Amino acid sequence: MPSMAETIARLRSGLPMGDAVPSRLSPLTGFGSNPGALLGYCHVPASLLPKPALVVVLHGCTQNAAGYDHGSGWSDLADRHGFALLFPEQQRANNANVCFNWFESQNIRRDAGEALSIRQMVAAMCERHAIDPARIYVTGLSAGGAMANVMLATYPDVFAGGAIIAGLPFGIAQGVPQALEAMRGQGQAGPAKLGALVRAASPHLGPWPAVSVWHGASDRTVVPANAAAILDQWRDVHRLPAVPARSGLVAGHRHRVWTDRDGRDVLEEYHISGLGHGTPLAVTGDDACGAVGPHMLEAGISSSVHIARRWGLLRAEAASTPPRPAASTPPRPAASAASAPTPAAPTAAPTAAQARAEAVGKSVADVIERALRSAGLMR
């Protein structure tokens, strides 16, 4: 298991994406009070279908919306299949390495912070483009994957499904030190506690969003134990057994599926052999999509294509996708105007000698906090 220093170094290994690629995204403005101070971008294809689906895409640390779109290929899929895209984007003023703040309580509560900003963007897209309210989905990588899980937990009445790539369970970290521990697989709770965190995040009583979990078997930045914990969290929420309904290989990678009492697929896992920390891509073959780059990794399987297929977004296959059941509680509207890596890392990690010197006479918590504040990771 990697040390804290190794985890921080791996977070710093990715380079910013998006500045050098032509953006296909348009700014989204005037969407609400925006308490999380996020930026919003969207892509609405010319071939938008009537009552289209909406996919919310959340980038990882060191990335931006345009770069993640370029690498993942979501705009290409939207153009071919007629659905709309929303790309919330973090600002450096909120996080030194533009990570979504999935570990800060003020940003992961319903109707507050970054979570509410993303909800307000969704509401604006629904109003402006006649989005089908039963076909709203969210996905993200690393910090974006953790934030996607935040949105599923805090607004389960809004999202029909979500896909968490190299992400973390909802609600397990309060502050940067706990976030770093969670990324290394430390301090994980059991299924009942993890599920209770989701049920306590909103007044929703079900039905719950369907969840797809993607994780690299060789990920040392957000270790695969987090994928297992996410599965535990959502198995408990959906009241599913530990044993999946079916399992097998897809493109050579382990795939497991859990079904509910009605036989609907509500939870699945893709365990990508040999993959490190990043979004799985296939840039050749029938499902070719996206472009290789930092944290956008060739794996022989396109997560974007498979996720879109799971959600019934691929035009030729959409007719076979069952509708989402009606919610038992009415959706709550967003507040009106009248959401990886994770915590970022120091620019230069202190040497072992410096760390020992600083530690003299201080608690471990004090040392961690001082280092993170000096790096701009704690406000």
Side-chain angles (χ1 to χ4, degrees):
M1 181 176 293
S3 66
M4 181 177 290
E6 289 175 315
T7 301
I8 289 174
R10 290 175 187 277
L11 286 175
R12 295 290 293 173
S13 64
L15 300 175
M17 293 179 59
D19 294 339
V21 299
S23 177
R24 304 176 65 184
L25 309 181
S26 301
L28 179 71
T29 59
F31 52 81
S33 59
N34 192 14
L38 300 179
L39 300 177
Y41 296 90
C42 63
H43 179 68
V44 180
S47 59
L48 190 68
L49 295 176
K51 293 196 70 176
L54 174 66
V55 178
V56 181
V57 184
L58 300 168
H59 63 80
C61 281
T62 76
Q63 298 176 320
N64 62 19
Y68 193 77
D69 180 40
H70 174 74
S72 62
W74 274 106
S75 282
D76 290 331
L77 289 174
D79 286 342
R80 295 204 303 267
H81 299 286
F83 56 87
L85 294 169
L86 167 63
F87 288 83
E89 183 177 280
Q90 184 60 281
Q91 298 197 76
R92 197 168 297 277
N94 298 331
N95 184 287
N97 280 296
V98 293
C99 314
F100 290 103
N101 289 305
W102 61 270
F103 48 88
E104 293 184 345
S105 59
Q106 67 269 29
N107 283 306
I108 63 173
R109 295 198 305 267
R110 185 179 175 105
D111 299 337
E114 292 177 11
L116 178 55
S117 291
I118 296 170
R119 174 65 182 100
Q120 289 175 338
M121 294 182 201
V122 170
M125 289 292 291
C126 289
E127 181 179 352
R128 297 172 194 181
H129 302 289
I131 300 296
D132 183 346
R135 301 175 67 212
I136 302 173
Y137 306 92
V138 62
T139 183
L141 166 67
S142 195
M147 200 67 190
N149 206 9
V150 168
M151 299 309 297
L152 294 172
T154 55
Y155 294 101
D157 49 330
V158 172
F159 296 97
I164 302 162
I165 305 172
L168 298 101
F170 167 74
I172 60 168
Q174 296 293 327
V176 175
Q178 284 188 4
L180 290 168
E181 289 179 358
M183 291 164 60
R184 300 195 309 277
Q186 300 173 0
Q188 299 284 10
K193 183 175 180 180
L194 290 169
L197 290 171
V198 172
R199 285 188 290 273
S202 80
H204 190 67
L205 300 177
W208 299 95
V211 178
S212 181
V213 179
W214 293 71
H215 217 107
S218 300
D219 191 338
R220 295 190 64 197
T221 300
V222 179
V223 300
N226 285 285
I230 297 169
L231 291 171
D232 282 345
Q233 185 165 64
W234 286 99
R235 280 195 303 102
D236 187 80
V237 170
H238 280 285
R239 307 299 189 192
L240 303 173
V243 178
R246 60 184 187 274
S247 61
L249 296 177
V250 176
H253 305 289
R254 186 180 78 193
H255 180 230
R256 299 190 293 171
V257 179
W258 285 261
T259 59
D260 64 11
R261 293 179 180 178
D262 297 324
R264 295 185 308 120
D265 294 352
V266 293
L267 182 64
E268 69 173 352
E269 175 206 28
Y270 282 89
H271 184 75
I272 309 301
S273 58
L275 190 77
H277 188 67
T279 294
L281 305 178
V283 297
T284 61
D286 293 341
D287 286 344
C289 184
V292 172
H295 302 306
M296 310 302 293
L297 308 177
E298 173 60 44
I301 182 170
S302 170
S303 55
S304 299
V305 170
H306 280 268
I307 291 165
R309 180 174 290 130
R310 167 62 64 186
W311 294 339
L313 302 182
L314 304 189
R315 197 172 291 185
E317 304 169 6
S320 63
T321 303
R324 182 188 187 192
S328 60
T329 58
R332 293 175 60 186
S336 66
S339 66
T342 3
T347 301
T351 66
Q354 290 170 328
R356 285 195 297 271
E358 288 183 355
V360 175
K362 303 179 181 69
S363 69
V364 173
D366 288 340
V367 174
I368 292 173
E369 182 172 332
R370 286 185 62 191
L372 293 168
R373 287 190 184 280
S374 68
L377 300 180
M378 295 182 71
R379 290 179 273 187

